Amino acid sequence: MPYIYDDQNIFAKILRGEIPCNKVLETEHALAFSDIAPKAPHHVLVIPKGPYVCHDHFALDATDTEIVDFTRTIGRICAQLGVTPGADGAGYRLISNAGNDGVQEVPHLHVHILAGRNIGPMVMARD
Ligand code: AMP
């Protein structure tokens, strides 16, 4: 099934400079900025600049160059935030929501980097 990208989504508007963001890092193919409603002391969103809806879309259709740049950008931000797991027990959680069941609000691929406190259980249990 083809992926349908809505270029009016809020992250597309950020990429076009139509609305501001609190930029953390920018590369040729990726942009990282602070989440507007942080759920942890560090809450950074990393997005590719290309029009990809979700992670599987990106993984299947992006170029190797885009994938490497995006993945490295996540690593660089973890290093920049100083949250790389180590002897001090720090760490972080990556989340990438997709589609309705994944409860994705913004239909442009983004990875949440959450850090700065214990992030808690992976998901809430439901019956
Ligand atoms: P998701 O549910 O994974 O699609 O998450 C979307 C995230 O985008 C949420 O955590 C929002 O707080 C965040 N968000 C929405 N609008 C903006 C914005 N203008 N700047 C930064 N983050 C935003």
Side-chain angles (χ1 to χ4, degrees), residues 18-32:
E18 294 168 10
I19 61 169
C21 72
N22 182 10
K23 191 188 296 185
V24 174
L25 189 65
E26 182 169 12
T27 67
E28 185 179 356
H29 297 290
L31 178 67

Side-chain angles (χ1 to χ4, degrees), residues 10-11 14 19-21 33-37 39 43 45 97 103-106 110 112:
I10 199 143
F11 295 167
I14 287 175
I19 61 169
C21 72
F33 51 94
S34 303
D35 195 293
I36 204 166
K39 309 292 189 298
H43 189 168
L45 301 174
N97 299 316
V103 196
Q104 180 180 11
E105 291 171 19
V106 181
H110 49 285
H112 299 254

Side-chain angles (χ1 to χ4, degrees), residues 23-124:
K23 191 188 296 185
V24 174
L25 189 65
E26 182 169 12
T27 67
E28 185 179 356
H29 297 290
L31 178 67
F33 51 94
S34 303
D35 195 293
I36 204 166
K39 309 292 189 298
H42 299 300
H43 189 168
V44 177
L45 301 174
V46 187
I47 67 174
K49 290 184 175 177
Y52 301 104
V53 177
C54 53
H55 193 272
D56 53 285
H57 185 193
F58 183 70
L60 293 171
D61 287 358
T63 65
D64 291 3
T65 303
E66 289 175 305
I67 291 170
V68 169
D69 187 331
F70 183 68
T71 304
R72 286 258 156 75
T73 299
I74 293 170
R76 285 174 64 192
I77 291 165
C78 291
Q80 193 172 304
L81 295 174
V83 298
T84 303
D88 64 354
Y92 56 88
R93 180 168 298 154
L94 302 183
I95 299 174
S96 190
N97 299 316
N100 292 335
D101 285 355
V103 196
Q104 180 180 11
E105 291 171 19
V106 181
H108 181 113
L109 168 62
H110 49 285
V111 167
H112 299 254
I113 303 175
L114 295 155
R117 66 165 170 80
N118 185 297
I119 303 301
M122 188 169 70
V123 290
M124 302 288 274

